[in-house]
């Protein structure tokens, strides 16, 4: 089953207040590897043409990968507020 199909099985209740935040966008712009843009399974991090890392928390799976792989500690990461975030429907 393709990953997109599996992701579509989940449900999200997304808070207005993102649980993940890029602390210093300038660090991300200068970061050569930008691992978040390659390793986030939900593709929450994208690269704009000017090299800025854009983040969207709506499809976040709360896996914690971005927090671990960021070489510059540029990501502030907390779990979503109670009742919000992803609900896994099939495991
Ligand atoms: Fe992506 Fe996982 Fe980070 Fe959420 S916690 S933004 S799914 S890498």
């Amino acid at each position: 089953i393709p990953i997109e199909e599996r992701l579509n099985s989940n449900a999200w209740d997304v808070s207005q207040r993102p649980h993940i935040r890029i602390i210093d966008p300038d660090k991300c712009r200068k970061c050569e590897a930008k691992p978040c843009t390659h390793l986030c399974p939900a593709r929450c991090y994208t690269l704009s043409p000017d090299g800025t890392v854009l983040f969207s928390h709506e499809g976040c799976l709360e896996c914690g990968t971005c927090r671990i792989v960021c070489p510059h500690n540029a990501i502030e990461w907390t779990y979503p507020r109670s009742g919000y975030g992803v609900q896994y429907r099939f495991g």
Side-chain angles (χ1 to χ4, degrees):
I1 300 175
I3 186 73
E4 284 78 10
E5 227 170 279
R6 284 184 183 271
L7 291 173
N8 282 340
S9 312
N10 300 325
W12 283 265
D13 193 352
V14 179
S15 160
Q16 291 301 311
R17 194 174 45 177
H19 61 289
I20 296 174
R21 188 174 72 90
I22 294 177
I23 302 166
D24 185 352
D26 203 43
K27 275 187 184 170
C28 304
R29 212 171 292 118
K30 291 177 186 154
C31 174
E32 282 189 17
K34 295 183 178 40
C36 56
T37 61
H38 303 292
L39 298 176
C40 169
R43 303 199 179 102
C44 293
Y45 295 87
T46 51
L47 201 55
S48 75
D50 70 353
T52 306
V53 176
L54 305 173
F55 175 68
S56 160
H57 72 291
E58 280 84 6
C60 176
L61 300 166
E62 299 160 34
C63 69
T65 302
C66 53
R67 174 170 57 173
I68 292 166
V69 299
C70 178
H72 303 289
N73 293 321
I75 296 166
E76 183 183 84
W77 204 104
T78 51
Y79 279 106
R81 280 190 294 153
S82 173
Y84 289 93
V86 65
Q87 291 163 44
Y88 290 98
R89 289 201 169 137
F90 298 103

